[in-house]
Amino acid sequence: MEVLIHDSAEEATVVAAAAIARLLADKPDAVLGLATGNTMLALYRQLVRLHRQEGLDFSRVTTFNLDEYVGLDPQHPDSYHRFMREHLFDLVNIDLRATHIPDGQAQDMSQACADYERAIERAGGIDLQLLGIGRNGHIGFNEPSSSLASRTRVTPLAAQTLKDNRCHFHQEPMPSSAITMGIGTIMQARRCLLLAFGEAKAEAVAQAAEGPVTAMVPASALQFHPACQFLLDHPAASKLHNQAFYASQRAES
């Protein structure tokens, strides 16, 4: 795991977009693991800009999203299906048949979760997984106490997550559970980029990057990932004890 502290969220976002662009240049049929939420909005804007202005090609790309709320129709304004179409898929030349988001309305959830895992395997695994981090340390919707070996499954949402996400919902009631890739699934991605910005994420970032590896901070499992980068702004990095070392790493890279 590598921690990279940037002068601004915008700078970190540009770095992340450039990493994705390099991957697609080297491997046009790459498999991307995608995330949702406010942290990803600027990144997707960058990718759309690169597509429109520099010809970044998504035509052969396959994608798998981390999660979806249970019970939401794909057309629901607060669904992650809708989020991805509005902020990325409908704005680039991706084949929608190659995009995958968990089915929050599946009649047989256990089967849907198993099918999602098999689809990732059939695609050859995820080349690059994008991640945000919740204030309680969750990645995807793997809440505290999630097994570090977990696979795609249905999980209840923690009180902190419900509180943090409720403001983004246009309709009530907000779903209380989600279908999510597991931590074990995420850890099999060949590369992970975790983006975190703002002081509100500082405690979770510090625990994930420098604390003990524990199921109570699911993102801490990334300490064992051989190719994971935390891309942070200074506020998100403010509670890290080893900031000087991380700065020296970036200076040498």
Side-chain angles (χ1 to χ4, degrees), residues 15-248:
V15 169
I20 294 169
R22 286 193 299 271
L23 172 62
L24 299 193
D26 293 339
K27 186 179 182 181
D29 59 348
V31 179
L32 299 179
L34 301 180
T36 53
N38 287 342
T39 301
M40 297 297 151
L41 290 175
L43 174 57
Y44 292 150
R45 285 194 293 269
Q46 280 289 331
L47 292 177
V48 171
R49 183 191 67 79
L50 289 171
H51 167 68
R52 291 177 173 174
Q53 298 181 8
E54 301 183 25
L56 182 61
D57 184 16
F58 290 85
S59 63
R60 296 170 59 192
V61 169
T62 299
T63 68
F64 290 90
N65 264 71
L66 283 168
D67 42 34
E68 178 60 284
Y69 290 105
V70 168
L72 292 194
D73 182 274
Q75 299 305 315
H76 190 284
D78 299 314
S79 74
Y80 289 156
H81 284 76
R82 182 81 167 266
F83 179 102
M84 292 307 306
R85 293 199 62 161
E86 288 183 357
H87 297 293
L88 184 64
F89 294 161
D90 286 351
L91 306 176
V92 297
N93 65 328
I94 199 165
D95 183 348
L96 289 177
R97 294 170 298 182
T99 65
H100 303 83
I101 302 174
D103 183 0
Q105 289 195 312
Q107 291 189 346
D108 186 336
M109 284 291 179
S110 294
Q111 186 63 51
C113 293
D115 289 346
Y116 205 70
E117 290 280 334
R118 280 193 287 270
I120 293 172
E121 291 177 10
R122 285 196 300 271
I126 292 171
D127 291 301
L128 187 152
Q129 177 67 58
L130 291 173
L131 299 166
I133 186 170
R135 290 203 293 170
N136 61 5
H138 74 230
I139 48 175
F141 274 131
N142 294 285
E143 302 284 20
S145 77
S146 294
S147 166
L148 300 186
S150 56
R151 312 304 296 193
T152 300
R153 68 201 187 287
V154 174
T155 182
L157 301 179
Q160 182 68 62
T161 300
L162 292 169
K163 179 180 178 181
D164 291 343
N165 289 12
R166 184 163 280 112
C167 63
H168 303 302
F169 264 75
H170 301 88
Q171 300 180 21
E172 292 290 346
M174 177 183 169
S176 59
S177 60
I179 182 171
T180 183
M181 280 189 203
I183 298 171
T185 313
I186 292 167
M187 291 291 288
Q188 285 190 323
R190 286 180 272 279
R191 182 179 180 187
C192 292
L193 295 181
L194 185 147
L195 282 64
F197 310 131
E199 189 175 357
K201 298 296 180 71
E203 184 63 35
V205 165
Q207 291 184 26
E210 296 182 337
V213 175
T214 169
M216 294 308 295
V217 183
S220 67
L222 295 169
Q223 293 180 33
F224 286 123
H225 196 285
C228 177
Q229 291 178 318
F230 280 39
L231 303 182
L232 314 173
D233 63 3
H234 285 288
S238 60
K239 294 189 177 181
L240 291 169
H241 294 291
N242 217 12
Q243 291 184 54
F245 176 72
Y246 304 139
S248 70

